[in-house]
Amino acid sequence: MISTILLFREALYGALVIALACSVLGVYVVLRRIVFVGAAIAQLSSAGIALALFLGGMGVSAGLVGHPTVFALAFGLAGAMFFGLGGGQRAGVPPDATIGVAYAAAAAAGVLLIAKAKGGEAHDIFLQGNILGITRADTLVLLAVSVPVLLVHVLFYKEFLFVSFDREMARTMGYRVTFWNLFLYFTLGLVIAFAMQFAGVILVFNFLVLPAVTGLLLASSMAGIFTVAVLSAVLAAGVGFSLSVPFDLPSGPAIIAASAVLALVAWPARLLQRR
Amino acid sequence: MTALITFDHATLGYGRRVVLSDISFDIPAGDFLGLVGPNGAGKTTILRAILGSLVPLRGTVTKAEGLRFGYVPQRDSVDYNFPLKVLDVVMMGRYDRIGLMRRPSRDDRERACAALEHVGIVNLAEQPLRALSGGQKQRALIARALVGEPNVLVLDEPTNGMDLVSTTQILGLVRELHERDNLTVLMVSHALNEVANYVQRIALVVERGFRIGRVGEIMTEETLTQMYGIPVDVDEMHGHRIVVARRGADLGAHAHD
């Protein structure tokens, strides 16, 4: 069993990097009640990949097929900035409805573009993610994105926390609330756009939500939530991945199942803690 | 007395929509001003102009150099989902002094404890903010405003949703801060009866109307009847002024909210 897992160790390393980065950002996503923003940004990134493949197939630019990352990044960041600015609130559309529209439209666009792309279903893997396909180079790319983002979050923890917790007070104290808000969404868009290409929409969504929920259930301080979220994400990635290989299960859903088990165990633990 | 804030023929509004026209008044150092009026009349608009987040459409709003506000937002605007200790929340009032990429120091922590002591809840410093009662939360938010060593304490509807006991305690605390520390206080509220018995001056904002003066000047039947547009009685009980709309008055055209 161990030798089989070692065979895919590069994929495991990649999954652990994604788990680490997404679980840290997920604490803000859950506490700010914007969980579906994560799913919508991931879906927009996947639509970007689909567009790159479609255009590549049309011969508009053959080079794009090899570099869908640029499109994933552009679409993901554009979505993050849009949601960071309040979405369609100015037009009177509630924020959750805007997120729903973006998610549905991006999902449909992705499927339709892939259906008509050269190579068709063979490209589905770009939308669904293929965690086992992660190579050492991919892991290095993920590290190159995740490490600076996490560093930013360590350095500007105070600012991100303040504008998330009480933006009115922050504004009164001279904080550029819109800037800090957009900066937070930018880091979110960046991590999701890269992670989504390897892990797929659902696994990224899982890492953004479930570990933070587990942290919220088990910890009673911000430091505690971050710690539990990271540990549970890494544990779920390690256990889910390690069990999926010998049992011939899809790795993504196995990791999600492990995350769900941890959250479900945390639930009664929280209830016992409150007694 | 030195004016900390001066409205000079200021017209306030959003885009083309004018909320208040041509208002002029000062807030001098040491003032205790109640900004009172029904919801939607323009209290928040004036507050935004004072805090600097709204530029007047015409006229000017000037502030004394180096003026620092200690802002206490409405309790519901704070997100209690965040698992923050009371002390951590109070320390946020020093974030701008701490600066970017730096963590609160021992001195910041001591000042936050002193602010909590000042409002009488230092024993709750290590408690989660969300576990506190409404009155205790309000005290924590006042401590956060005080820890930044402000020149003006600004409270936005500090007694909203509170019971009689908590309301009395919070208003008593604010008056104590004003008297003990000679702190300039601006209190925004829709509850005229509550505010009138604590502040020195009242700025009354009604739809398209604005009047400012000492409590005795504003709290008269003539002024209030004229401002609200309905017959109003002002009585006194044990030294407290009480305002009531006369029974049978036509409220239909003046219903708020």
Side-chain angles (χ1 to χ4, degrees), chain A residues 14 18 83 90 112 219 267:
Chain A
I18 292 170
F83 294 128
R90 283 188 184 174
L112 291 173
W267 206 299

Side-chain angles (χ1 to χ4, degrees), chain A residues 33 154 158 165-166 175 225, chain B residues 78-79 99 102-103 144:
Chain A
R33 301 178 174 90
V154 170
K158 211 164 79 262
F165 173 68
D166 187 355
Y175 275 81
I225 289 186
Chain B
V78 171
D79 192 342
R102 292 175 63 193
R103 293 289 151 99
R144 184 179 65 167

Side-chain angles (χ1 to χ4, degrees), chain A residues 28 30-33 153-159 161-162 164-166 168-169 171-173 175 180 216 219-222 225 270, chain B residues 51 53 69 71 73 77-84 89 92-96 98-104 129-130 141 144-145:
Chain A
Y28 289 101
V30 168
L31 287 176
R32 291 181 62 142
R33 301 178 174 90
H153 274 266
V154 170
L155 290 175
F156 300 117
Y157 165 73
K158 211 164 79 262
E159 286 69 29
L161 175 69
F162 201 12
S164 300
F165 173 68
D166 187 355
E168 276 306 309
M169 174 73 173
R171 187 172 282 127
T172 308
M173 284 173 62
Y175 275 81
W180 287 108
L216 201 58
S220 55
S221 67
M222 287 302 290
I225 289 186
R270 171 61 173 243
Chain B
L51 296 174
S53 59
F69 292 104
Y71 178 57
S77 75
V78 171
D79 192 342
Y80 297 102
N81 202 28
F82 282 70
L84 292 165
V89 174
M92 286 178 177
R94 295 193 61 79
Y95 274 8
D96 60 334
I98 294 167
L100 282 177
M101 293 192 280
R102 292 175 63 193
R103 293 289 151 99
L129 182 71
R130 60 185 169 196
L141 296 179
R144 184 179 65 167

Side-chain angles (χ1 to χ4, degrees), chain A residues 4 20 39 41 100 106-107 111 118 122 128 130 168 221 231 263:
Chain A
T4 319
L20 174 69
I41 293 174
V111 172
K118 201 174 178 183
Q128 292 162 5
N130 176 22
E168 276 306 309
S221 67
L231 288 177

